[in-house]
Amino acid sequence: MLDKLEQALNKIPLSPKDFLDIRHSYSMGESFTVRNGRFDSISNQTMGGIAIRALIDNTWGFTTIVNTDEESIIKAAKKAIRIAKTGSKYTKQERNISDKWVYEGKEITKIEIDPREIDKEAKFEKIIETEKAARHFSDTIAESTSYYQESHKEEVIVNNKGTKVETENHIIRIGKNVIGREGVKMQNVTDSLGGTGGWELIEGWNPEKEGLKAAEEVEKLISARSPPSGKMRVIMDPSLTGVFIHEAFGHATEADSIIAKRSILEGKIGEKVGVEQINVYDDPTIPTLRGSFKYDSEGTKAQKRILVKEGVVNEYLHTLETAETMDLEPNGAGRTMNFNYTPQSRMSNTYVGPGDMSLEEIAEITKDGVYLCKSYSGYVFTDKGQFSFNCQSGYFVENGEITDLMGNVGMTGLILEVLNNSYAIGNKWEPAFKGNCGKGGQWVPVSGGGPNLAVTDVVVGGNS
Amino acid sequence: MNSDFSLHDLAEKVIRIGLSKGADQVEAYTLYGAVRGVQIERGSIRRFTDTSNSGIGIRILKNKATGMASTTIFSQESIEKTVSEAVSLAKISPPDTNFISLPSDTTPTPIIPDRCDDNISELSIEDFTELILATIQEAKIREDAIIGGNFSAGKGERYIINSAGVDRFSMQTSVSGFLSTKISEGDDIGSSYHYDAQTTLKKFDYLSIGKLSGERALKMLGAQKIDTTNLPILMDPETTYGTLAPILANGINAFNVFNRTAFFVDKIGDQIGSPKLSVFDDPLYPGGVDSAPFDDEGVVPKKIQLVEEGILQTYITDSYTAPLVELENTGHASRFSFASKPRPSPYSLNFKNGDISKDAILSDLKEGILLIDSSLESSGNRPQISDQINQGFYVKDGEIQYPVKEAVVGCTVYDIFDKIEEVSKETENRSGHIAPWILLSPIRISGGK
């Protein structure tokens, strides 16, 4: 495919200032879901096509095709050039892609056990047994679900500056979602295992243990205390720390938001936004995590990004375009969901660096507040700097001790205040959150984590 | 119509291949879409897109077991492989005894007025851009306003064919625009947005997208933190729809009802909210963006009353769930994409208006929060709501005082339905989504003060 794309690229008339890239993407995957004892979904998906981007006279043109013959590629490329040229008279900003950053390489995610060679029955068994263990736990369990997903994606990227990159990435995941109900009271517990790699990442999933664990947690949550309301001290577990830093800070460092003047962190490089002990990283190069990759969807080699260094904003997440606009080196954050979309500045594996306190010590200095665990979701308005996220469960912290269990609750805060309000960082580090991040209609796999993190003055939205 | 090939022929071929490979029933669901898009950044054009996408989802039934496969690659080899994959998955999948049959609805496909507009299909990039530039101008309420957004125009085609007799085709055009405006005064930031989507160009109120986005951004300047307290909440029509529609979509969905995770399990005939709440679903609403002449299994739906004076009337169903909840198939099957399995979901909800003016509701409000174009959502399947206030204003003695920041509403979906105190006589109709202003009696609000 690389040769085919190069040959087509060479036949497209371009001037030295123009930029054009061709990205071929092919993915296939399987997903199985068992819900309440029945197979709810058992499916196989393949998706393939070519995306063509042209930057002509400061304006982008973008087209997609599913045919991969040379004639179709050239025709689509000419269309991308034509619509970019048509639009350029309406563009006021200057945009360029530099000749400086050219990448060549081939990277295949290492897999020890290829899931495509594992019998489907073995995959079924893991989710059937997980679901069954949770469902049979008690009458409180209203819905028990377990799922298995694998996807295999190949990308080939060439551009007229000289980049030639081929990648093959494999993602695998097994998970559970258990809902308990007593009258109008409902709680659910969700968790998963997996990442970038093969069957070896989920081989250790013990179905019975995982199913029972979720069911037990749900049962306890049904009769847990109601969460409090108001401004208070919050200790987060590593999973929630991951979601918190992703929403409260990570999105605001995405350089396309900075360029568009839609981020409250615009112009904040070198400014102190947090306590000195806070370090925040985004690193796609860590092997096996859900957000890991070696080259992004623009062909740029991925690298570890230090977003916050000792409380000071250090770096943004760049695409080729944003790096050029800020006269910096691209750091490989241009990601896409599939060939139908253009690259955006995105996070990968985002985490807070470890500190030196145990959870017990943090609870002791917290005195009164809440200790919150795991997350369902979150979102942020980067332009005004307000974020929101929620937890699956938590505990009250009373007189320096972690006490009663409480149900799920949402929180909100302000980006420019929250890292300065951090007062304790735990010594145990874990990339505990595994999920998907949505932006502009594109969902990409990510992970997040860190240590226990304690923040004061967080607004907790309980109903008591 | 896609010029390269016939999606209908492709779907028919899938049925033939599936049956020849031993399937009991086969369904082919094909989508084609061609869309032109324009991205706006800092008040001018950043990117033009011209894309076309298509895909086919295949559902195979064999001995009551289901196998599904999908692809975007339409070569003979790919289609053969995809059907074979679906058949082999059905053969190894455990049977689901709840499954009865794919639908066999052959009633004539109704015609929905204003569903297709050649003015959208034929809209040139130049004309589309001129329209967008006029919208940006409306949003430019001040010279320093930062304006961004996306516009798109296109058409979509949908074919559904199954071996039980369904053979449907529909086409729809759409034009949509989203604009956000940000205004700064030092560290004070006012930010807002507006959105519209229509099936015809003449109904597309593009200038209002810019105007409201700009005006609201200006109003969001000077946001203040509030105390933690209980306050009434006045929801504008967008907030009413954005909050109540998802609650109903979960609460009366027969799949969730069967699994006992719906908010309103075993509640048909029961009071599920204030007597001031009445809602019907109108799948055939003329020109509605979410209207459709048939559902995603090819069944023709009808207008149905969902809630009457607070009493739940029915659940919404599809071919799988109707027998499970012992109701007729209401034709509400909906797919997230061509690759997904269908689940019941509403089309265009119409929340009945009341008899008091919105101005009277506001002027009678001693103290409360006014929510504009927001939604209070529960996450997951849980009834607890704990959601931040995005575009809210503190109201005192009937007057809007200032926008609110860093505040969270904490309640349950049941509170939202029970606490409906007033319903305005005015409604807003956003392409078939019809809702009034609604006042909720006091709800817990956590403030950042």
Side-chain angles (χ1 to χ4, degrees), chain A residues 40 181 231 321 340 383 408, chain B residues 46 53 191 262 343 382 448:
Chain A
D40 184 35
R181 180 171 198 152
K231 207 169 182 176
E321 180 192 348
N340 286 315
D383 50 0
N408 65 85
Chain B
R46 177 174 185 268
N53 307 302
S191 171
R343 292 276 176 260
R382 291 157 299 116

Side-chain angles (χ1 to χ4, degrees), chain A residues 194-378:
Chain A
T196 302
W199 181 257
E200 68 278 2
L201 296 182
I202 66 157
E203 205 172 16
W205 177 273
N206 181 324
E208 194 181 354
K209 194 175 146 197
E210 293 291 342
L212 282 175
K213 190 176 153 206
E216 278 170 8
E217 285 177 31
V218 163
E219 177 107 335
K220 286 178 190 162
L221 279 173
I222 285 288
S223 50
R225 281 170 67 182
S226 292
S229 57
K231 207 169 182 176
M232 63 194 69
R233 291 187 154 199
V234 169
I235 310 170
M236 291 174 261
D237 80 343
S239 175
L240 196 60
T241 297
V243 176
F244 159 78
I245 206 66
H246 179 104
E247 299 299 344
F249 204 81
H251 276 298
T253 66
E254 291 166 343
D256 49 5
S257 301
I258 303 280
I259 298 289
K261 295 186 174 293
R262 309 297 310 191
S263 170
I264 201 146
L265 293 182
E266 182 198 347
K268 299 280 185 197
I269 294 280
E271 281 195 23
K272 186 175 177 298
V273 293
V275 295
E276 205 175 319
Q277 295 79 7
I278 280 277
N279 293 291
V280 181
Y281 307 92
D282 185 81
D283 189 358
T285 69
I286 304 170
T288 76
L289 296 186
R290 191 166 161 78
S292 300
F293 53 89
K294 293 287 171 62
Y295 291 92
D296 71 5
S297 288
E298 294 184 305
T300 305
K301 196 160 181 59
Q303 54 183 269
K304 179 178 180 178
R305 284 81 66 141
I306 306 173
L307 305 179
V308 176
K309 191 174 182 183
E310 295 174 354
V312 174
V313 181
N314 183 69
E315 193 175 0
Y316 299 138
L317 296 167
H318 284 291
T319 61
L320 289 171
E321 180 192 348
T322 64
E324 175 68 13
T325 305
M326 295 189 196
D327 199 19
L328 294 167
E329 181 180 349
N331 53 20
R335 302 184 71 186
T336 59
M337 181 164 77
N338 58 46
F339 75 94
N340 286 315
Y341 295 92
T342 56
Q344 302 169 309
S345 306
R346 303 299 295 264
M347 283 173 272
S348 57
N349 307 305
T350 314
Y351 57 93
V352 175
D356 55 9
M357 294 179 81
S358 69
L359 178 59
E360 291 72 25
E361 287 168 332
I362 296 174
E364 200 177 325
I365 61 165
T366 298
K367 244 182 152 177
D368 293 305
V370 287
Y371 169 49
L372 305 179
C373 307
K374 291 185 181 170
S375 180
Y376 295 115
S377 59

Side-chain angles (χ1 to χ4, degrees), chain A residues 26 32 35-36 38-40 42-48 59-64 66 79 83 86-87 90-93 95 120-121 124 142-143 179 181 184 186-188 229-231 259-262 264 321 340 342 376-377 379 381 383-384 386-388 390 408-410 412-414 417 457 459-464, chain B residues 41-42 44-53 66-73 85 89 92-94 96 98 125-126 129-130 133 146-148 180-182 189 191 225 228 255 258-263 265 320 341 343 379 381-384 386-390 405-408 410-412 414 444 446-449:
Chain A
Y26 174 80
F32 312 129
R35 191 187 310 267
N36 284 356
R38 285 177 295 278
F39 264 80
D40 184 35
I42 174 163
S43 71
N44 169 290
Q45 310 92 31
T46 58
M47 186 174 223
T59 307
W60 286 101
F62 179 70
T63 57
T64 59
V66 290
K79 191 202 255 184
I83 59 175
T86 306
Y90 304 106
T91 298
K92 291 177 187 163
Q93 284 89 33
R95 292 184 183 88
K120 288 186 176 61
E121 282 78 2
F124 290 172
E143 184 181 286
I179 304 176
R181 180 171 198 152
V184 296
M186 285 167 72
Q187 290 285 343
N188 71 317
S229 57
K231 207 169 182 176
I259 298 289
K261 295 186 174 293
R262 309 297 310 191
I264 201 146
E321 180 192 348
N340 286 315
T342 56
Y376 295 115
S377 59
Y379 61 98
F381 298 102
D383 50 0
K384 59 183 177 184
Q386 185 171 313
F387 63 89
S388 175
N390 53 41
N408 65 85
V409 72
T412 189
L414 301 173
E417 293 181 4
D457 291 338
V459 178
V460 176
N463 53 6
S464 62
Chain B
E41 185 178 277
R42 285 181 285 162
S44 85
I45 307 296
R46 177 174 185 268
R47 183 176 63 225
F48 288 86
T49 62
D50 192 333
T51 56
S52 59
N53 307 302
T66 304
M68 291 183 69
S70 65
T71 185
T72 61
I73 303 164
E85 193 63 48
L89 286 173
I92 60 167
S93 173
D96 181 351
N98 288 325
I125 277 191
E126 286 83 357
T129 306
E130 291 299 335
L133 293 176
I146 308 293
I147 298 158
S180 63
T181 305
K182 176 180 145 186
I189 294 167
S191 171
K225 297 177 182 180
T228 298
F255 185 76
F258 175 69
N259 284 312
R260 307 197 69 74
T261 58
F263 299 141
V265 175
Y320 180 76
K341 201 170 184 178
R343 292 276 176 260
S379 51
N381 274 326
R382 291 157 299 116
Q384 296 86 350
S386 186
D387 203 2
Q388 71 171 322
I389 292 176
N390 174 25
K405 66 177 174 184
E406 211 186 359
V408 185
C411 62
T412 68
Y414 306 112
R444 191 69 173 165
S446 302
K449 200 167 178 179

Side-chain angles (χ1 to χ4, degrees), chain B residues 224-249:
Chain B
Q224 296 183 28
K225 297 177 182 180
I226 58 170
D227 288 319
T228 298
T229 183
N230 290 349
L231 288 174
I233 291 177
L234 176 57
M235 303 190 289
D236 78 341
E238 284 102 343
T239 308
T240 295
Y241 202 95
T243 301
L244 271 62
I247 295 173
L248 274 174

Side-chain angles (χ1 to χ4, degrees), chain A residues 41-275:
Chain A
S41 161
I42 174 163
S43 71
N44 169 290
Q45 310 92 31
T46 58
M47 186 174 223
I50 288 178
I52 296 163
R53 242 179 4 156
L55 179 60
I56 313 286
D57 297 339
N58 303 317
T59 307
W60 286 101
F62 179 70
T63 57
T64 59
I65 48 170
V66 290
N67 298 329
T68 57
D69 60 284
E70 186 178 287
E71 192 186 340
S72 298
I73 296 170
I74 293 171
K75 192 175 158 195
K78 286 182 175 172
K79 191 202 255 184
I81 292 168
R82 191 172 64 245
I83 59 175
K85 277 185 177 162
T86 306
S88 63
K89 63 184 176 216
Y90 304 106
T91 298
K92 291 177 187 163
Q93 284 89 33
E94 194 175 326
R95 292 184 183 88
N96 283 303
I97 300 290
S98 171
D99 291 333
K100 276 190 291 186
W101 312 114
V102 174
Y103 306 90
E104 284 191 51
K106 182 170 185 172
E107 198 67 46
I108 298 173
T109 304
K110 189 182 163 202
I111 42 177
E112 287 171 23
I113 306 169
D114 191 333
R116 290 167 291 194
E117 287 168 9
I118 300 288
D119 285 344
K120 288 186 176 61
E121 282 78 2
K123 298 168 184 173
F124 290 172
E125 192 186 341
K126 276 199 183 285
I127 58 174
I128 287 170
E129 294 305 317
T130 306
E131 184 280 322
K132 195 197 288 177
R135 177 163 42 94
H136 288 170
F137 181 74
S138 78
D139 291 343
T140 308
I141 307 304
E143 184 181 286
S144 169
T145 304
S146 182
Y147 59 87
Y148 169 85
Q149 299 160 345
E150 64 177 71
S151 74
H152 313 276
K153 184 178 177 184
E154 297 166 16
E155 254 185 354
V156 182
I157 302 141
V158 298
N159 71 34
N160 66 322
K161 307 295 180 188
T163 288
K164 297 171 203 172
V165 166
E166 292 174 275
T167 63
E168 204 178 300
N169 210 18
H170 308 271
I171 291 184
I172 193 164
R173 190 184 206 191
I174 188 166
K176 61 194 176 182
N177 184 43
V178 180
I179 304 176
R181 180 171 198 152
E182 267 183 19
V184 296
K185 275 187 175 176
M186 285 167 72
Q187 290 285 343
N188 71 317
V189 166
T190 182
D191 202 2
S192 67
L193 182 69
T196 302
W199 181 257
E200 68 278 2
L201 296 182
I202 66 157
E203 205 172 16
W205 177 273
N206 181 324
E208 194 181 354
K209 194 175 146 197
E210 293 291 342
L212 282 175
K213 190 176 153 206
E216 278 170 8
E217 285 177 31
V218 163
E219 177 107 335
K220 286 178 190 162
L221 279 173
I222 285 288
S223 50
R225 281 170 67 182
S226 292
S229 57
K231 207 169 182 176
M232 63 194 69
R233 291 187 154 199
V234 169
I235 310 170
M236 291 174 261
D237 80 343
S239 175
L240 196 60
T241 297
V243 176
F244 159 78
I245 206 66
H246 179 104
E247 299 299 344
F249 204 81
H251 276 298
T253 66
E254 291 166 343
D256 49 5
S257 301
I258 303 280
I259 298 289
K261 295 186 174 293
R262 309 297 310 191
S263 170
I264 201 146
L265 293 182
E266 182 198 347
K268 299 280 185 197
I269 294 280
E271 281 195 23
K272 186 175 177 298
V273 293
V275 295

Side-chain angles (χ1 to χ4, degrees), chain B residues 122-142:
Chain B
E122 293 160 10
L123 187 64
S124 70
I125 277 191
E126 286 83 357
D127 288 346
F128 197 25
T129 306
E130 291 299 335
L131 172 157
I132 293 164
L133 293 176
T135 309
I136 293 170
Q137 206 51 41
E138 287 291 318
K140 210 162 183 54
I141 199 147
R142 284 189 353 194

